[in-house]
Amino acid sequence: MNILFRFGETHNLTFAFPLGGGFQLYYPHHFMAKFVQGFSPKSPQRFNILCHHMRFLQPEVQKVVRSSAVYFSILRNPVQLMESSFTYYKGASAFSHVRSLEEFLSQPHLYYDPSKGDSNYAKNLMTFDFGFNPNAEVSAERVQLMVKAIEASFDFLLISEYFDESMVLLKEMLCWDLDSVVSFPLNTRDSSTKSFLSDSVVEKIKEWNRLDWEIYIHFNRTFWERIDRDIGRERMEQEVRALRERQAELARTCLQGSGSVVPKDIKDSSLRPLQHGGARILGYNLKQGLDKETEHMCRRLVTPELQYSSALYKKQFPPVPPETPQPTPSGQGSAPQHRLEDTQH
């Protein structure tokens, strides 16, 4: 999101923001065009970038973006995704009564209730986010149908475990320059909140999230096939090296210390990421004494998602100032005063 926010801000593009400047598009409901600030079915506005968290529904997405829009998403290994979800969404109904992920997986149906509104965090999360039923029976036919539907909707699926390679492919596909896809890791957890997973737990996660696992295996394979077809391994290695060198150069320019720090050590509160569940989300400290232009560039690189989203929302939808009351002419009595209300919901 940071990469998309920076690109959109640099090129003065419009974002499809959630109504009232929220941070998710009424998730976990399926996406609807009416969830977007400024959308009207009578005179539909087409936005340049739609990147806030949603449950995908393409016919509704098509109402708010141009027909030439590029669709891409990102997959994560379901094993790491489940471990992360368990920590981050520890308060979710499926996880709140167990002490460990291992305990949950020993008898998942004892704790998991698909009718609960937050059940999506506990099973086949990626399947759910693509708009499918995470509790559907697993079959080769169903998996094939889901994969075909995703391939029909999306131009490209990134792989979280190969983020740098993903950025190189994205840069090539969108004709962007290197600096547009350089980033610092954001929304990452402190390693002290990550759990070790035994081989038996890993297998249980794969089985419990079988639909996610099948999606991931398929698109991980086609990801590398795309690299071989479009770029080649040798050039990919060169591109990844250039990306990492630029990232290291920017880190030396922008950051205090050697990189990310725990929340309590982030000096500028406006750069402190949201803390949620049992996770400790890391952030950064900027160097002092940077010139104005460099400081602006560096700050954009380390601004967490929520703060960046709020700032861009206010830029795109400036608050309407209240009308200044006009003085009442003497002897005319007092007329009722009116003011324009902000459009916040």
Side-chain angles (χ1 to χ4, degrees), residues 56 58 71-73 130 149-157 226:
F56 188 65
Q58 190 164 13
Y71 288 71
F72 63 92
S73 187
F130 278 116
I150 294 169
E151 286 179 333
S153 299
F154 288 85
D155 298 282
F156 180 38
L157 265 71
R226 186 172 190 145

Side-chain angles (χ1 to χ4, degrees), residues 77-94:
N77 186 315
V79 175
Q80 277 73 53
L81 178 59
M82 178 105 198
E83 187 275 328
S84 176
S85 291
F86 181 81
T87 305
Y88 201 76
Y89 300 109
K90 188 65 181 73
S93 57

